[in-house]
């Protein structure tokens, strides 16, 4: 018995047209990790020499705490803006989307991605600024560096796709980030 191949009237078909693709270059990530390792080592030495307890506590808190704060803020912003935390967002351990990011199986509006990441950028900077009087300058600088390090690759991709940010949809793949129009 042949199946009916016609579409029902309730069917919705989405077609996306590629606007721009940003390929991930391995050399960028290698240089990024090398510079990060050097900065992390320098910050650990500087913080430890200035104050051993602050260095032993502050560096792990910065490395583990800032991604958690960013994740909490992203989830909170998604919950308040969209009224629910989307299931498509998850943890990613690969650059440039290191941390809490949209999944590889969904399209997300560029305006939403841009707005969320700029909110996280400024909110965490303000929170760190509020802690400035109680933090040693070296630890404060390390926390600012870690925060910017986590967001910089994402912000670069958002900047490269800025031309299409008003109507584009972001799709994250393993080797690139693409912007599509619907």
């Amino acid at each position: 018995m042949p199946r009916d191949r016609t579409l029902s009237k309730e069917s919705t078909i989405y077609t996306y047209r590629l606007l721009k693709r940003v390929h991930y270059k391995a050399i960028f990530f290698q240089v990024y990790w090398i510079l990060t390792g050097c900065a992390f080592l320098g910050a650990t030495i500087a913080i430890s020499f200035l104050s051993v307890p602050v260095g032993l506590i502050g560096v792990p808190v910065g490395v583990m705490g800032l991604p958690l704060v960013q994740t909490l803020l992203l989830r909170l912003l998604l919950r308040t803006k969209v009224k629910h935390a989307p299931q498509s967002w998850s943890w990613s351990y690969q650059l440039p989307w290191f941390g809490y990011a949209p999944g590889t199986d969904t399209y997300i509006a560029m305006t939403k991605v841009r707005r969320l990441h700029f909110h996280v950028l400024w909110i965490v900077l303000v929170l760190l600024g509020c802690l400035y009087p109680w933090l040693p300058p070296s630890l404060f600088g390390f926390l600012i560096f870690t925060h910017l390090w986590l967001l910089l690759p994402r912000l670069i991709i958002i900047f490269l796709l800025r031309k299409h940010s008003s109507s584009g949809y972001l799709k994250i793949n393993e080797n690139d980030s693409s912007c599509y129009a619907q």
Side-chain angles (χ1 to χ4, degrees), residues 80-99:
T80 57
K81 299 291 183 184
V82 185
K83 305 295 185 228
H84 71 285
Q87 303 299 324
S88 60
W89 285 61
S90 62
W91 269 88
S92 171
Y93 297 102
Q94 293 180 337
L95 283 175
W97 297 96
F98 187 82

Side-chain angles (χ1 to χ4, degrees), residues 49-149:
F49 281 138
L50 293 175
S51 174
V52 174
V54 171
L56 292 176
I57 295 170
V59 172
V61 167
V63 171
M64 292 182 290
L66 278 173
L68 293 175
V69 168
Q70 290 175 352
T71 298
L72 176 71
L73 282 172
L74 280 170
R75 287 190 60 85
L76 184 65
L77 287 168
L78 284 167
R79 189 171 293 261
T80 57
K81 299 291 183 184
V82 185
K83 305 295 185 228
H84 71 285
Q87 303 299 324
S88 60
W89 285 61
S90 62
W91 269 88
S92 171
Y93 297 102
Q94 293 180 337
L95 283 175
W97 297 96
F98 187 82
Y100 196 62
T104 58
D105 57 342
T106 61
Y107 294 88
I108 183 165
M110 282 296 299
T111 54
K112 185 184 295 185
V113 172
R114 185 184 69 223
R115 186 180 64 239
L116 287 171
H117 283 85
F118 283 124
H119 278 115
V120 168
L121 172 71
W122 290 110
I123 289 171
V124 173
L125 286 176
V126 167
L127 289 174
L128 289 174
C130 290
L131 296 175
Y132 173 73
W134 297 281
L135 295 176
S138 56
L139 180 59
F140 179 73
F142 176 73
L143 293 175
I144 295 286
F145 170 79
T146 305
H147 172 59
L148 294 176
W149 175 83

Side-chain angles (χ1 to χ4, degrees), residues 10-68:
E10 292 85 30
S11 296
T12 304
I13 299 174
Y14 293 103
T15 56
Y16 294 96
R17 180 175 44 94
L18 179 64
L19 298 173
K20 186 170 183 179
R21 179 171 283 152
V22 177
H23 292 280
Y24 307 149
K25 295 184 176 29
I27 188 72
F28 170 74
F29 297 130
Q30 292 167 352
V31 169
Y32 199 73
W33 281 111
I34 289 170
L35 291 175
T36 300
C38 293
F40 180 74
L41 183 63
T44 303
I45 292 170
I47 293 171
S48 295
F49 281 138
L50 293 175
S51 174
V52 174
V54 171
L56 292 176
I57 295 170
V59 172
V61 167
V63 171
M64 292 182 290
L66 278 173
L68 293 175

